[in-house]
Amino acid sequence: MTDQSITRFLLSPGTDTDPAETAEWREALSALIASEGPERARFILDQLAAMARAPQVGWSPELVTPYVNTVPVEQQPPFPGDLAIEERLASLMRWNALAMVVRANGAYGELGGHIASYASAADLFEVGFNHFFHARNEQQGGDLVFFQPHSAPGVYARAFLEGRLSEADLAHYRQEITAPQVNARGLSSYPHPWLMPDFWQFPTGSMGIGPISSIYHARFMRYLTHRHLLDCSSRKVWGVFGDGEMDEPESMSALTLASREKLDNLVWVVNCNLQRLDGPVRGNGRIVDELEKLFRGAGWHVIKLLWGSDWDGLFARDLTDALVQVFARTVDGQMQTFAAKDGRFNREHFFNQNEALARLAQGMTDEQIDRLKRGGHDLVKIHAAYHVAAHHHGQPVVILAHTKKGYGMGTAGQGRMTTHSQKKLDEAALLEFRNRFNLPISDEQAKTLAFFKPAEDSAEMRYLHERRAALGGYMPKRETKAPVLPVPPLASYAQFAVQAAGKEMSTTMAFVRLLGNLLKDKDLGPRIVPIVADEARTFGMANLFKQVGIYSSAGQLYDPEDIGSVLSYREALDGQILEEGISEAGAIASWTAAATSYSVHGVPMLPFYIYYSMFGFQRVGDAIWAAADQRARGFLLGATSGRTTLGGEGLQHQDGSSHLVAATIPNCKAYDPAFAGELAVIIDHGMREMLVDQQDWFYYLTLMNENYAQPDLPEGAAHGVVRGGYRFATFGESVPQVTLLGSGAILTEVLKAAQQLAAQGIASEVFSITSWSELARDGLHCEQRALRGEAHTTPWLHEMLAGAKGPIVAATDYVRAVPESIRAFLPAGRRYLTLGTDGFGRSDTRAALRGFFGVDAAHIARAASHLLRG
């Protein structure tokens, strides 16, 4: 790979047309630094750079600096801890983490697990735990820490020493079902708040979700502060991520947001062990250089943590920059080979590359060369980098920490291509690991993978507890409850919806009006977080710009073009709307931060994220799943929903599947209300579940942009609306012969079909299905209770259809699999036919689309007649 920045930095001798002049320039700059200091030197360089950017020169400074530590040794703060004890503790964490994974795989080879990632990141974690990661307690809000998921065993190993997990718990790593049978706690594979709700705070197991989430959590903390809801000014967000994870688009997509918002409460530590699952992250290049360019270009402050203290003497003696020049020419694939080999190999193949390097290594034994640490394994260097990062102002900070994957695993895995999947070590490798870290365990204990915990009165254990006490307590730890947030009476904000009296409006319009009313409530209003991805005007929300404002950390530094209009664009420091631009990934990350505020900050918030429904579960479904894992509470609103409702937009905008995907998320309640009154009842019920009862649900509601007459909510229908459906109306003079089910916008077609059937002398009963998935879940729950021999319960579907006769026709604006989900739970003996919008969407009128997909009134009536004849 050609790296222009490095070739510019390292001009070969033949390209310098006047070496003497070059030397004079270098000497002049050195003299300036010596006499006037680095600040004056930076000023002069800035002036020269401005001149050099002129078109006739066309020069700009490079974004890559030499492959050395950003924090020079003379600027390192004193290490405040007991270095020897911290190194012993880190070694114990490594051992217990390794023993946990290897033991699980020895007993059950299918369980999997990872050793190498934590082996590389252990010291990065330990410095944070001992000196920087503040816990939440009654006196302080604490820091937020996103842990590299493959390093979860190391976090468990620390919790074991802290007394928060038992030896039995560690022995049941990745055995969450069988562990309770022996009074143990099964430990989840990665950070999963749903499975360990009092332990893990943030789910990071899906690569890329942690990085983007950390950015929006940091921004949300500023939002809380600026809106005077909670002072988060002294708190940090720390994220420890892998260099391979930076390839995920979500990892990179919000970097400029972090710098634009000046999120100096955010610190990322990228563990650059140079290796992903299958091989090098950048075998033919340098991932550290690439990331430095990327982050610096995005406006972050970059700290390179590359070499340990043992290298300081080498750099001090290297008067010709031989090390820097060789590092610049050494690609990561070769660096990985150096990591996998011993001191003799590194002497022959690294230090013997030229005479200057060979002289630097003179007097060093092969073992000393082998023990040269990369920066991410040196507690003193890590502390220096963290200290600088924690005190940097005005920018987010990223620390690029150079480590060895599988550090200390020797021939069993250090720096090897297969190390990510290494889960088993033979006896020789275990003894080698024991010796490498001077662990106080016998040969027999090493061979049998015995967990080791020092005596409670030992120096190590006292130090461990003292350091965490100084930082506020143990972590990770998740709080499970927050204060109850009162919800106003339904009539106070949604009377227009439940008693609509035939007024024409879309359910989107009804929602926006309802939201505006809720925002006026003195208790709940300030806690509502409206979120949009550059579509507020599309959904008719522009009136909220003036009402509550758009949040901006800079306020509004300009006069908007539409300043004189009623719906002018208004940004404000205390603005309430989070307008995320064209980024559904950013908007869902923002929603998740607000939806978990009750747990993360002890401040319950109520986010409403409204978006084109096709761009939700289909586009950012992984992030929604992570929010579910994190026990989010809030509302997702898929607007312009349905395959035939959004007529002209066509294939990629027309949603026929979101309810199918939503049904797969266990703590997501998905509804497709047809009428404003139904919508109001669902929102009211959801708010009370989440804010008053504090249940870990979130709601997905689909909204339509089609205007039609909105009826009053039938008396007594609210219970059925929440359960998933209710009897809406009966059509025809005779005894009903057919049952019609419909949801969302297609319910209007079902009603027309009922009228057509009545004109033919066929009476029918029409049921409004507000949630197919809730009906299916209820039916499944009743079935499971019966199979377990528990008390019999009747599915709501049976109760709802009690008294209804004849075959059943169900129609939706979604694929047929959605209404098919209730087939197994229908009353026995009822014929059932589903109509849906399977296939790709198209652009045309609503009438043409519904006719094409066979979900219009004519097709519904024809299907009912066919069933009656059959």
Short mmCIF file of all heavy atoms in Angstrom, two decimals, residues 518-562:
data_model
loop_
_atom_site.label_atom_id
_atom_site.label_comp_id
_atom_site.label_asym_id
_atom_site.label_seq_id
_atom_site.Cartn_x
_atom_site.Cartn_y
_atom_site.Cartn_z
N LEU A 518 -49.01 16.76 24.52
CA LEU A 518 -48.22 16.16 25.59
C LEU A 518 -47.06 17.06 25.99
O LEU A 518 -46.70 17.14 27.17
CB LEU A 518 -47.70 14.79 25.17
CG LEU A 518 -48.69 13.62 25.22
CD1 LEU A 518 -48.05 12.37 24.62
CD2 LEU A 518 -49.13 13.35 26.65
N LEU A 519 -46.45 17.71 25.02
CA LEU A 519 -45.32 18.58 25.31
C LEU A 519 -45.70 19.76 26.19
O LEU A 519 -44.83 20.36 26.84
CB LEU A 519 -44.70 19.08 24.00
CG LEU A 519 -43.87 18.06 23.22
CD1 LEU A 519 -43.63 18.53 21.79
CD2 LEU A 519 -42.54 17.81 23.93
N LYS A 520 -46.99 20.07 26.26
CA LYS A 520 -47.46 21.20 27.08
C LYS A 520 -47.69 20.80 28.53
O LYS A 520 -47.85 21.67 29.39
CB LYS A 520 -48.75 21.77 26.49
CG LYS A 520 -48.58 22.36 25.10
CD LYS A 520 -49.92 22.75 24.50
CE LYS A 520 -49.76 23.25 23.06
NZ LYS A 520 -51.08 23.52 22.42
N ASP A 521 -47.70 19.49 28.81
CA ASP A 521 -47.93 19.04 30.18
C ASP A 521 -46.73 19.43 31.05
O ASP A 521 -45.57 19.16 30.69
CB ASP A 521 -48.14 17.53 30.22
CG ASP A 521 -48.45 17.02 31.61
OD1 ASP A 521 -49.61 17.15 32.02
OD2 ASP A 521 -47.53 16.52 32.27
N LYS A 522 -47.00 20.04 32.20
CA LYS A 522 -45.91 20.60 33.01
C LYS A 522 -44.98 19.53 33.58
O LYS A 522 -43.79 19.80 33.80
CB LYS A 522 -46.47 21.46 34.12
CG LYS A 522 -47.29 20.73 35.16
CD LYS A 522 -47.81 21.69 36.23
CE LYS A 522 -48.64 20.98 37.28
NZ LYS A 522 -47.84 20.00 38.06
N ASP A 523 -45.49 18.32 33.84
CA ASP A 523 -44.65 17.27 34.41
C ASP A 523 -44.01 16.40 33.34
O ASP A 523 -42.79 16.19 33.34
CB ASP A 523 -45.47 16.40 35.36
CG ASP A 523 -45.96 17.17 36.57
OD1 ASP A 523 -45.17 17.95 37.13
OD2 ASP A 523 -47.13 17.01 36.95
N LEU A 524 -44.83 15.90 32.44
CA LEU A 524 -44.32 14.99 31.42
C LEU A 524 -43.65 15.72 30.27
O LEU A 524 -42.65 15.24 29.71
CB LEU A 524 -45.46 14.12 30.89
CG LEU A 524 -45.10 13.12 29.79
CD1 LEU A 524 -44.07 12.11 30.30
CD2 LEU A 524 -46.35 12.38 29.30
N GLY A 525 -44.17 16.89 29.92
CA GLY A 525 -43.70 17.60 28.74
C GLY A 525 -42.20 17.77 28.64
O GLY A 525 -41.59 17.44 27.61
N PRO A 526 -41.53 18.24 29.71
CA PRO A 526 -40.07 18.44 29.62
C PRO A 526 -39.28 17.15 29.44
O PRO A 526 -38.13 17.18 29.01
CB PRO A 526 -39.74 19.09 30.97
CG PRO A 526 -41.02 19.71 31.43
CD PRO A 526 -42.09 18.79 30.96
N ARG A 527 -39.89 16.00 29.76
CA ARG A 527 -39.18 14.72 29.65
C ARG A 527 -39.37 14.05 28.30
O ARG A 527 -38.78 13.00 28.05
CB ARG A 527 -39.66 13.78 30.75
CG ARG A 527 -39.46 14.31 32.15
CD ARG A 527 -37.99 14.52 32.49
NE ARG A 527 -37.82 14.93 33.87
CZ ARG A 527 -37.68 14.09 34.88
NH1 ARG A 527 -37.67 12.80 34.65
NH2 ARG A 527 -37.53 14.54 36.11
N ILE A 528 -40.18 14.63 27.45
CA ILE A 528 -40.40 14.06 26.11
C ILE A 528 -39.26 14.48 25.19
O ILE A 528 -38.82 15.63 25.20
CB ILE A 528 -41.75 14.52 25.54
CG1 ILE A 528 -42.89 13.86 26.34
CG2 ILE A 528 -41.88 14.18 24.07
CD1 ILE A 528 -44.26 14.35 25.95
N VAL A 529 -38.77 13.53 24.41
CA VAL A 529 -37.66 13.79 23.48
C VAL A 529 -38.13 13.44 22.06
O VAL A 529 -38.09 12.29 21.66
CB VAL A 529 -36.42 12.96 23.84
CG1 VAL A 529 -35.25 13.35 22.94
CG2 VAL A 529 -36.05 13.13 25.30
N PRO A 530 -38.59 14.44 21.30
CA PRO A 530 -38.96 14.16 19.90
C PRO A 530 -37.68 14.01 19.07
O PRO A 530 -36.76 14.82 19.17
CB PRO A 530 -39.75 15.41 19.48
CG PRO A 530 -40.02 16.17 20.75
CD PRO A 530 -38.91 15.82 21.68
N ILE A 531 -37.63 12.97 18.26
CA ILE A 531 -36.44 12.69 17.45
C ILE A 531 -36.87 12.48 16.01
O ILE A 531 -37.80 11.72 15.73
CB ILE A 531 -35.70 11.44 17.97
CG1 ILE A 531 -35.28 11.62 19.44
CG2 ILE A 531 -34.47 11.14 17.12
CD1 ILE A 531 -34.73 10.37 20.08
N VAL A 532 -36.18 13.14 15.09
CA VAL A 532 -36.45 12.96 13.66
C VAL A 532 -35.13 12.90 12.90
O VAL A 532 -34.12 13.44 13.36
CB VAL A 532 -37.32 14.09 13.08
CG1 VAL A 532 -38.75 14.01 13.59
CG2 VAL A 532 -36.73 15.46 13.41
N ALA A 533 -35.17 12.24 11.77
CA ALA A 533 -33.98 12.16 10.90
C ALA A 533 -34.25 13.00 9.65
O ALA A 533 -34.45 12.48 8.55
CB ALA A 533 -33.69 10.71 10.53
N ASP A 534 -34.30 14.32 9.85
CA ASP A 534 -34.46 15.27 8.75
C ASP A 534 -35.80 15.12 8.04
O ASP A 534 -35.89 15.32 6.83
CB ASP A 534 -33.31 15.13 7.74
CG ASP A 534 -33.18 16.37 6.85
OD1 ASP A 534 -33.28 17.48 7.39
OD2 ASP A 534 -33.01 16.22 5.64
N GLU A 535 -36.85 14.75 8.77
CA GLU A 535 -38.15 14.53 8.13
C GLU A 535 -39.29 15.17 8.90
O GLU A 535 -40.46 14.81 8.72
CB GLU A 535 -38.40 13.02 7.98
CG GLU A 535 -37.46 12.34 7.01
CD GLU A 535 -37.33 10.85 7.23
OE1 GLU A 535 -37.62 10.38 8.35
OE2 GLU A 535 -36.90 10.15 6.30
N ALA A 536 -38.99 16.15 9.76
CA ALA A 536 -40.04 16.75 10.57
C ALA A 536 -41.09 17.43 9.71
O ALA A 536 -42.29 17.30 9.96
CB ALA A 536 -39.42 17.76 11.55
N ARG A 537 -40.67 18.15 8.69
CA ARG A 537 -41.64 18.83 7.83
C ARG A 537 -42.49 17.81 7.06
O ARG A 537 -43.68 18.02 6.85
CB ARG A 537 -40.93 19.78 6.87
CG ARG A 537 -40.21 20.94 7.56
CD ARG A 537 -39.65 21.92 6.56
NE ARG A 537 -38.74 22.87 7.19
CZ ARG A 537 -39.11 24.00 7.79
NH1 ARG A 537 -40.40 24.30 7.86
NH2 ARG A 537 -38.22 24.80 8.33
N THR A 538 -41.87 16.70 6.65
CA THR A 538 -42.61 15.66 5.95
C THR A 538 -43.76 15.15 6.80
O THR A 538 -44.85 14.87 6.28
CB THR A 538 -41.68 14.48 5.61
OG1 THR A 538 -40.61 14.95 4.80
CG2 THR A 538 -42.42 13.37 4.88
N PHE A 539 -43.53 15.04 8.10
CA PHE A 539 -44.54 14.49 8.99
C PHE A 539 -45.43 15.57 9.63
O PHE A 539 -46.20 15.27 10.55
CB PHE A 539 -43.87 13.67 10.10
CG PHE A 539 -42.98 12.58 9.58
CD1 PHE A 539 -41.74 12.35 10.13
CD2 PHE A 539 -43.38 11.77 8.52
CE1 PHE A 539 -40.91 11.34 9.65
CE2 PHE A 539 -42.56 10.77 8.03
CZ PHE A 539 -41.32 10.56 8.59
N GLY A 540 -45.30 16.81 9.17
CA GLY A 540 -46.15 17.88 9.69
C GLY A 540 -45.77 18.34 11.08
O GLY A 540 -46.61 18.84 11.83
N MET A 541 -44.48 18.21 11.43
CA MET A 541 -44.03 18.56 12.78
C MET A 541 -43.38 19.93 12.85
O MET A 541 -42.84 20.31 13.91
CB MET A 541 -43.04 17.50 13.28
CG MET A 541 -43.62 16.11 13.41
SD MET A 541 -42.38 14.86 13.81
CE MET A 541 -41.85 15.39 15.45
N ALA A 542 -43.43 20.69 11.78
CA ALA A 542 -42.72 21.97 11.77
C ALA A 542 -43.24 22.93 12.82
O ALA A 542 -42.50 23.81 13.29
CB ALA A 542 -42.81 22.61 10.38
N ASN A 543 -44.50 22.79 13.23
CA ASN A 543 -45.04 23.68 14.26
C ASN A 543 -44.33 23.50 15.60
O ASN A 543 -44.35 24.40 16.45
CB ASN A 543 -46.54 23.42 14.43
CG ASN A 543 -46.83 22.00 14.88
OD1 ASN A 543 -46.39 21.04 14.24
ND2 ASN A 543 -47.58 21.85 15.95
N LEU A 544 -43.68 22.33 15.78
CA LEU A 544 -42.96 22.09 17.04
C LEU A 544 -41.64 22.86 17.10
O LEU A 544 -41.07 23.02 18.19
CB LEU A 544 -42.69 20.61 17.23
CG LEU A 544 -43.92 19.69 17.32
CD1 LEU A 544 -43.49 18.25 17.53
CD2 LEU A 544 -44.85 20.15 18.43
N PHE A 545 -41.14 23.33 15.95
CA PHE A 545 -39.89 24.09 15.96
C PHE A 545 -40.00 25.31 16.88
O PHE A 545 -39.12 25.59 17.68
CB PHE A 545 -39.52 24.55 14.55
CG PHE A 545 -39.18 23.44 13.58
CD1 PHE A 545 -39.11 23.69 12.22
CD2 PHE A 545 -38.94 22.15 14.02
CE1 PHE A 545 -38.80 22.68 11.32
CE2 PHE A 545 -38.62 21.14 13.14
CZ PHE A 545 -38.56 21.40 11.78
N LYS A 546 -41.11 26.03 16.71
CA LYS A 546 -41.32 27.21 17.55
C LYS A 546 -41.70 26.82 18.97
O LYS A 546 -41.27 27.44 19.94
CB LYS A 546 -42.44 28.08 16.95
CG LYS A 546 -42.02 29.01 15.83
CD LYS A 546 -41.36 30.27 16.39
CE LYS A 546 -41.04 31.28 15.30
NZ LYS A 546 -42.25 31.93 14.77
N GLN A 547 -42.50 25.76 19.10
CA GLN A 547 -43.04 25.39 20.41
C GLN A 547 -41.95 24.97 21.39
O GLN A 547 -41.90 25.45 22.52
CB GLN A 547 -44.07 24.27 20.26
CG GLN A 547 -44.70 23.83 21.58
CD GLN A 547 -45.73 22.74 21.38
OE1 GLN A 547 -46.24 22.54 20.29
NE2 GLN A 547 -46.05 22.01 22.45
N VAL A 548 -41.06 24.07 20.96
CA VAL A 548 -40.04 23.56 21.89
C VAL A 548 -38.62 23.72 21.39
O VAL A 548 -37.67 23.51 22.15
CB VAL A 548 -40.30 22.07 22.23
CG1 VAL A 548 -41.61 21.91 22.99
CG2 VAL A 548 -40.30 21.20 20.99
N GLY A 549 -38.42 24.05 20.12
CA GLY A 549 -37.09 24.29 19.60
C GLY A 549 -36.31 23.03 19.28
O GLY A 549 -36.62 21.93 19.75
N ILE A 550 -35.29 23.19 18.45
CA ILE A 550 -34.39 22.10 18.06
C ILE A 550 -33.12 22.25 18.88
O ILE A 550 -32.50 23.32 18.90
CB ILE A 550 -34.07 22.17 16.56
CG1 ILE A 550 -35.35 22.03 15.73
CG2 ILE A 550 -33.05 21.11 16.17
CD1 ILE A 550 -35.20 22.48 14.29
N TYR A 551 -32.71 21.17 19.55
CA TYR A 551 -31.53 21.26 20.39
C TYR A 551 -30.27 21.55 19.57
O TYR A 551 -30.02 20.93 18.53
CB TYR A 551 -31.32 19.97 21.17
CG TYR A 551 -29.98 19.94 21.89
CD1 TYR A 551 -29.72 20.76 22.98
CD2 TYR A 551 -28.94 19.12 21.43
CE1 TYR A 551 -28.50 20.76 23.62
CE2 TYR A 551 -27.71 19.11 22.08
CZ TYR A 551 -27.49 19.94 23.16
OH TYR A 551 -26.26 19.94 23.78
N SER A 552 -29.48 22.52 20.04
CA SER A 552 -28.18 22.81 19.44
C SER A 552 -27.25 23.27 20.55
O SER A 552 -27.59 24.18 21.32
CB SER A 552 -28.29 23.90 18.38
OG SER A 552 -27.00 24.38 18.02
N SER A 553 -26.09 22.64 20.65
CA SER A 553 -25.14 23.02 21.69
C SER A 553 -24.56 24.41 21.46
O SER A 553 -23.94 24.99 22.35
CB SER A 553 -23.99 22.01 21.74
OG SER A 553 -23.30 21.96 20.50
N ALA A 554 -24.78 24.97 20.26
CA ALA A 554 -24.29 26.32 19.96
C ALA A 554 -25.42 27.34 19.92
O ALA A 554 -25.17 28.51 19.62
CB ALA A 554 -23.56 26.32 18.60
N GLY A 555 -26.63 26.92 20.23
CA GLY A 555 -27.76 27.82 20.09
C GLY A 555 -28.05 28.05 18.62
O GLY A 555 -27.97 27.14 17.80
N GLN A 556 -28.39 29.28 18.26
CA GLN A 556 -28.62 29.61 16.84
C GLN A 556 -27.82 30.86 16.51
O GLN A 556 -28.12 31.95 16.98
CB GLN A 556 -30.11 29.83 16.57
CG GLN A 556 -30.44 29.90 15.08
CD GLN A 556 -31.92 29.69 14.81
OE1 GLN A 556 -32.78 30.15 15.54
NE2 GLN A 556 -32.23 28.98 13.74
N LEU A 557 -26.79 30.67 15.70
CA LEU A 557 -25.83 31.73 15.40
C LEU A 557 -26.15 32.43 14.08
O LEU A 557 -25.31 33.15 13.54
CB LEU A 557 -24.42 31.15 15.34
CG LEU A 557 -23.98 30.35 16.58
CD1 LEU A 557 -22.59 29.78 16.38
CD2 LEU A 557 -24.05 31.21 17.83
N TYR A 558 -27.35 32.26 13.58
CA TYR A 558 -27.72 32.83 12.28
C TYR A 558 -29.20 33.18 12.32
O TYR A 558 -29.95 32.72 13.18
CB TYR A 558 -27.45 31.84 11.16
CG TYR A 558 -28.26 30.55 11.29
CD1 TYR A 558 -29.48 30.40 10.63
CD2 TYR A 558 -27.82 29.50 12.10
CE1 TYR A 558 -30.24 29.24 10.77
CE2 TYR A 558 -28.57 28.34 12.24
CZ TYR A 558 -29.77 28.22 11.57
OH TYR A 558 -30.51 27.08 11.71
N ASP A 559 -29.61 34.02 11.36
CA ASP A 559 -31.02 34.31 11.17
C ASP A 559 -31.53 33.38 10.09
O ASP A 559 -31.11 33.47 8.93
CB ASP A 559 -31.22 35.77 10.73
CG ASP A 559 -30.83 36.75 11.83
OD1 ASP A 559 -31.01 36.39 13.02
OD2 ASP A 559 -30.34 37.84 11.50
N PRO A 560 -32.44 32.45 10.43
CA PRO A 560 -32.92 31.51 9.42
C PRO A 560 -33.66 32.22 8.31
O PRO A 560 -34.27 33.28 8.51
CB PRO A 560 -33.84 30.58 10.21
CG PRO A 560 -34.26 31.37 11.40
CD PRO A 560 -33.10 32.25 11.74
N GLU A 561 -33.58 31.65 7.13
CA GLU A 561 -34.23 32.24 5.94
C GLU A 561 -35.71 32.47 6.18
O GLU A 561 -36.28 33.45 5.70
CB GLU A 561 -33.99 31.30 4.75
CG GLU A 561 -34.75 31.64 3.49
CD GLU A 561 -36.15 31.02 3.47
OE1 GLU A 561 -36.31 29.93 4.04
OE2 GLU A 561 -37.07 31.65 2.91
N ASP A 562 -36.36 31.59 6.96
CA ASP A 562 -37.81 31.68 7.15
C ASP A 562 -38.15 32.30 8.50
O ASP A 562 -39.20 31.98 9.09
CB ASP A 562 -38.44 30.30 7.03
CG ASP A 562 -37.85 29.28 8.03
OD1 ASP A 562 -36.89 29.64 8.74
OD2 ASP A 562 -38.35 28.15 8.09
#
